[in-house]
Amino acid sequence: MEASCLELALEGERLCKAGDFKGGTAFFEAAVQVGTEDLKTLSAIYSQLGNAYFYLKEYGKALEYHKHDLTLARTIGDRIGEGKASGNLGNTLKVLGRYDEAVVCCQRHLDISQEQGDKVGEARALYNIGNVFHAKGKQQLWGCTQEPGDLPPDVRDTLQRATGFYEMNLCLVKELGDRAAQGRAFGNLGNTHYLLGNFVEAIKFHRQRLSIAKEFGDKAAERRAYSNLGNALIFLGQFNTATEYYRKTLQLSRQLRDQVMEAQACYSLGNTYTLLQQYERAIDYHLKHLFIAQELTDRVGEGRACWSLGNAYVSLGNHRQALHYARKHLAISKEIGDRNGELTARMNVEQLMEALGVSESDLSPCGSEFEMQGARPKFTKRNSMDSVELCKYSSDKVILLPSKLGRDPSDEDCFFDLLSKFQSSRMDDQRCHLDEPQNGDNREGAANSMPSLNTMIDPAITTSPQTEELFDLIASSQSRRLDDQRVNVGNLPGLRITHNNLGHLVGEGDHQEPSDDFFNMLIKCQSSRIDDQRCSPPEVGPRAPTVPDEDFFSLIQRVQAKRMDEQRVQLPTDDQDSPDAPDPEPPSGYSS
């Protein structure tokens, strides 16, 4: 017996709730293939398909179905549904790095929620806009060499806008009595204050976040709060207290069996003990980080661990072991194409070889595995050390309440035109000239570059007796194409148009034309994106899952550079005027 659209959709929903998004999408796609005349059911399927593909990181597909959901919601006049679809689009655009468009979508969600008196939707929209500005600020920080809190004006402004929206969100969820949402707001405010260099404020918010996490028994949130508290305390010079929080982070990470975050916790503890000059303990944690990085085939993480181990062994006066890890760091940096790491490692190797009085010919080949003494911790079984979101924070921040994006409230219908016309036509035409797509999957709506009819037609044909027939054919073809484009509802997959639902569909003629103000805003945000695509992207180091996204220890070690350099110059060399030690910054620099 053939399953109905609703039955398939319900099974897809069950699988997604159980965490099986792959299986869930298969059932939802099957439901779309069967089709339905129930517009509300179809809208729910689109929304859940978009969310499932989002969790699977198939963002092109997620955009596709959230756009379908937006189209259908607008067509049937479902304002709340239109707001939710706009918010989902905004979240997807955010992870693709299309921040200006994401803000437009999230602002649309906010406008509709306020119009409908939907306080819960309004709170979510404020939170999402804050997240977009937080993510944009972190991207702007990529590769910045400023000291903590010493931010370029544009980055500071972006992060302060994030705090404003988070503060408005916090006020509203307090009014609603939503404690879980308050916890998220506190965490994001703490994270954003951290990026702004307001470490005392960050600690205040993270402690409130920790309290609510314990209240709900949310171990993952508790772990993040401990980690973020440790991060802020590092910059206040309270290293001993920071290690206490990092050890709690490590303990919770093991309980949660999150191996990646376990490695990050070990990385944090290793660096903190280095700052405390407790090098033996630092080496123990760096070896544990190295072991997990090897298990997860994280070559970048292995390189970081070797770099840290080399520095620690130098501080202990064990120059031979330091040379071993410096050579491993050099080999990995070459392998992964990390130019900065290679230069740093090469300088370390040369300095250590000079100190030991050895040459390249005296050394054995540098293998790919770390089997020398001290390279692996002496244990065979271990619990999975869990997550330390060292600097992997959600977006949190507080500042002056920003004013709402300036828009005419009568511009409601232009939003859909932005997505369907601008993105699928003009933008994609320009995008097809790029060698590689930027910011993720841009497959949806990609336009093919086609020559004009004038270039396709032989000039001799225009003078032939068949000219009129040819142009009649062209006109007829173009006319049909335009008609096809007008019938947007008919292009929605899975929609069965019947007499029962035809009356609920809004005709194309009912849509308002976009106003000039809103149109200009869209052009502005789209044009900035075009410029971003024309520019060559900044060089960034390869990512390492076992190293925190915000590797703040690169900043710490720059702040502590004087002390670290003094330790390095203790190398026994024949030349009393030895060259300056290499920059102790990790290979890929500051990552956000």
Side-chain angles (χ1 to χ4, degrees), residues 458-491:
D458 190 313
I461 297 179
T462 60
T463 60
S464 70
Q466 288 77 31
T467 298
E468 291 301 323
E469 292 181 19
L470 173 64
F471 281 103
D472 286 342
L473 177 63
I474 293 170
S476 175
S477 171
Q478 294 283 29
S479 170
R480 284 196 303 273
R481 225 174 120 208
L482 289 171
D483 289 339
D484 290 341
Q485 292 171 344
R486 288 190 187 104
V487 188
N488 291 329
V489 173
N491 293 332

Side-chain angles (χ1 to χ4, degrees), residues 314 317-320 322-323 347-359 568-575 578-579:
V314 165
N318 188 340
H319 308 121
R320 190 167 297 278
L323 177 59
M347 292 176 69
N348 284 334
V349 167
E350 291 172 356
Q351 194 174 28
L352 286 163
M353 287 174 62
E354 182 182 354
L356 290 168
V358 298
S359 63
R568 286 199 180 87
V569 296
Q570 300 302 317
L571 291 174
T573 68
D574 295 331
D575 184 2
S578 59

Side-chain angles (χ1 to χ4, degrees), residues 44-261:
I45 292 172
Y46 287 157
S47 179
Q48 297 212 47
L49 256 175
N51 290 333
Y53 279 122
F54 182 93
Y55 283 112
L56 292 171
K57 298 185 178 180
E58 296 185 35
Y59 300 119
K61 282 280 191 181
L63 277 179
E64 176 186 343
Y65 280 104
H66 286 317
K67 286 180 181 180
H68 287 326
D69 188 25
L70 177 64
T71 302
L72 186 56
R74 286 176 53 83
T75 301
I76 63 179
D78 178 4
R79 297 289 284 165
I80 296 293
E82 180 183 347
K84 289 179 180 178
S86 300
N88 287 334
L89 275 170
N91 288 334
T92 309
L93 290 164
K94 180 198 73 177
V95 299
L96 292 173
R98 292 157 61 173
Y99 301 116
D100 292 339
E101 293 166 272
V103 168
V104 171
C105 292
C106 292
Q107 182 68 48
R108 182 67 176 159
H109 184 198
L110 178 61
D111 292 344
I112 293 175
S113 297
Q114 290 174 335
E115 166 201 303
Q116 298 293 312
D118 178 7
K119 293 292 186 181
V120 173
E122 182 180 351
R124 287 176 180 168
L126 290 167
Y127 182 84
N128 288 338
I129 297 175
N131 285 345
V132 174
F133 282 118
H134 181 270
K136 183 177 181 180
K138 287 175 70 175
Q139 186 191 62
Q140 290 171 328
L141 274 172
W142 194 275
C144 284
T145 58
Q146 282 87 353
E147 296 301 322
D150 181 19
L151 304 175
D154 60 328
V155 178
R156 180 169 293 278
D157 177 68
T158 299
L159 292 173
Q160 286 178 336
R161 295 183 75 181
T163 60
F165 282 102
Y166 286 140
E167 284 187 330
M168 289 190 284
N169 167 258
L170 180 59
C171 288
L172 191 50
V173 294
K174 281 182 176 179
E175 179 186 324
L176 294 170
D178 188 341
R179 289 286 287 165
Q182 289 173 46
R184 290 190 292 271
F186 282 131
N188 285 345
L189 284 165
N191 289 336
T192 318
H193 274 296
Y194 173 88
L195 290 178
L196 285 164
N198 304 329
F199 303 117
V200 174
E201 281 291 297
I203 288 171
K204 180 186 76 173
F205 285 115
H206 284 310
R207 282 181 175 153
Q208 290 174 296
R209 205 292 169 256
L210 177 61
S211 175
I212 294 177
K214 289 180 175 179
E215 179 184 322
F216 281 87
D218 186 345
K219 296 296 183 183
E222 188 179 341
R223 181 209 67 209
R224 288 194 297 272
Y226 280 129
S227 177
N228 289 328
L229 283 165
N231 297 344
L233 287 164
I234 285 288
F235 284 103
L236 293 178
Q238 299 179 32
F239 302 146
N240 283 308
T241 309
T243 60
E244 293 175 14
Y245 284 122
Y246 288 142
R247 281 198 295 268
K248 289 179 179 178
T249 305
L250 179 56
Q251 183 182 14
L252 285 168
S253 299
R254 288 169 170 166
Q255 290 179 19
L256 294 168
R257 300 186 179 279
D258 186 337
Q259 198 175 22
V260 168
M261 302 313 297

Side-chain angles (χ1 to χ4, degrees), residues 274-560:
T274 295
L275 293 175
L276 287 167
Q277 299 185 347
Q278 298 181 29
Y279 302 113
E280 300 254 358
R281 300 185 79 174
I283 286 170
D284 180 54
Y285 283 108
H286 283 310
L287 286 172
K288 289 174 181 176
H289 171 218
L290 174 60
F291 182 73
I292 300 173
Q294 289 175 324
E295 280 194 334
L296 300 178
T297 63
D298 174 15
R299 295 293 280 166
V300 179
E302 287 184 52
R304 287 292 180 90
C306 291
W307 181 88
S308 300
L309 283 162
N311 285 340
Y313 277 115
V314 165
S315 299
L316 288 175
N318 188 340
H319 308 121
R320 190 167 297 278
Q321 198 66 9
L323 177 59
H324 165 70
Y325 284 109
R327 293 180 71 213
K328 293 296 183 184
H329 179 204
L330 177 59
I332 291 173
S333 297
K334 287 180 177 178
E335 176 190 324
I336 63 178
D338 181 1
R339 181 62 177 160
N340 291 334
E342 182 181 345
L343 291 172
T344 298
R346 191 179 300 282
M347 292 176 69
N348 284 334
V349 167
E350 291 172 356
Q351 194 174 28
L352 286 163
M353 287 174 62
E354 182 182 354
L356 290 168
V358 298
S359 63
E360 191 69 37
S361 60
D362 298 325
L363 302 174
S364 60
C366 193
S368 60
E369 293 296 327
F370 301 86
E371 300 296 345
M372 292 181 61
Q373 177 187 358
R376 286 179 181 265
K378 310 265 189 197
F379 53 80
T380 56
K381 249 185 154 180
R382 58 179 177 67
N383 294 324
S384 178
M385 311 183 221
D386 252 296
S387 52
V388 160
E389 298 209 350
L390 283 173
C391 300
K392 202 175 182 186
Y393 9 100
S394 42
S395 9
D396 311 352
K397 167 67 202 135
V398 185
I399 73 147
L400 303 175
L401 300 183
S403 59
K404 216 168 92 171
L405 296 178
R407 298 179 39 205
D408 187 336
S410 66
D411 296 334
E412 59 186 53
D413 290 319
C414 59
F415 177 74
F416 175 74
D417 294 332
L418 154 69
L419 297 170
S420 63
K421 295 179 182 177
F422 269 81
Q423 292 180 338
S424 66
S425 172
R426 183 168 63 91
M427 284 300 299
D428 288 323
D429 288 341
Q430 297 186 33
R431 217 180 268 128
C432 67
H433 297 294
L434 299 175
D435 293 332
E436 294 182 2
Q438 299 291 319
N439 293 325
D441 186 358
N442 284 327
R443 288 173 298 169
E444 44 83 29
N448 295 319
S449 179
M450 294 182 63
S452 66
L453 285 171
N454 288 335
T455 62
M456 296 172 64
I457 300 174
D458 190 313
I461 297 179
T462 60
T463 60
S464 70
Q466 288 77 31
T467 298
E468 291 301 323
E469 292 181 19
L470 173 64
F471 281 103
D472 286 342
L473 177 63
I474 293 170
S476 175
S477 171
Q478 294 283 29
S479 170
R480 284 196 303 273
R481 225 174 120 208
L482 289 171
D483 289 339
D484 290 341
Q485 292 171 344
R486 288 190 187 104
V487 188
N488 291 329
V489 173
N491 293 332
L492 293 174
L495 174 60
R496 294 178 177 175
I497 300 178
T498 68
H499 290 293
N500 293 331
N501 60 25
L502 189 60
H504 296 285
L505 302 176
V506 180
E508 287 294 314
D510 295 334
H511 293 308
Q512 300 175 2
E513 287 298 318
S515 75
D516 290 340
D517 289 342
F518 191 76
F519 212 53
N520 290 335
M521 181 178 68
L522 297 179
I523 292 172
K524 183 179 179 181
C525 82
Q526 291 280 18
S527 64
S528 68
R529 194 170 145 226
I530 298 171
D531 292 337
D532 290 341
Q533 292 173 340
R534 288 197 182 107
C535 301
S536 56
E539 287 190 17
V540 293
R543 288 298 185 95
T546 63
V547 175
D549 280 356
E550 282 90 12
D551 180 11
F552 62 93
F553 282 107
S554 63
L555 295 178
I556 294 170
Q557 286 155 341
R558 185 161 60 248
V559 172
Q560 299 286 337

